[in-house]
Amino acid sequence: MQEQLAHQIALASTGDVVIACAGAAAVIGALALYYGALLSIVRSDLTGGMKLVWVVFALMAPLLGCVLWFLVGRRDAQHRPGIA
């Protein structure tokens, strides 16, 4: 009985470590996406006003703003460069 309990405790702590590592990886990935999007927005050829719009959108809705920047905004910035 004690051996079974010790085994369950060992498995539980291993599972907690795996969940913590997965959570940390998700947070690091989200932060990398966020900072990468902000850096990409600032370095883009868009005009100052459009850069401000994208930065504000990325700040207000971090995940959605960053994903939309990489899916729509960056491609649009490459097709229509602004006056810098």
Side-chain angles (χ1 to χ4, degrees):
M1 179 74 160
Q2 289 178 345
E3 289 178 21
Q4 185 180 12
L5 183 59
H7 182 67
Q8 288 176 348
I9 291 172
L11 287 179
S13 65
T14 303
D16 291 342
V17 170
V18 170
I19 290 172
C21 288
V27 168
I28 290 170
L31 286 174
L33 175 72
Y34 181 68
Y35 289 122
L38 288 178
L39 188 62
S40 178
I41 292 168
V42 171
R43 289 184 173 182
S44 71
D45 290 334
L46 293 174
T47 60
M50 282 308 297
K51 283 183 186 182
L52 181 64
V53 168
W54 275 106
V55 167
V56 168
F57 187 57
L59 291 173
M60 298 303 281
L63 184 61
L64 180 63
C66 295
V67 169
L68 285 178
W69 166 253
F70 284 118
L71 292 178
V72 178
R74 198 167 97 175
R75 187 173 359 148
D76 190 42
Q78 291 172 349
H79 291 305
R80 292 188 292 162
I83 301 170

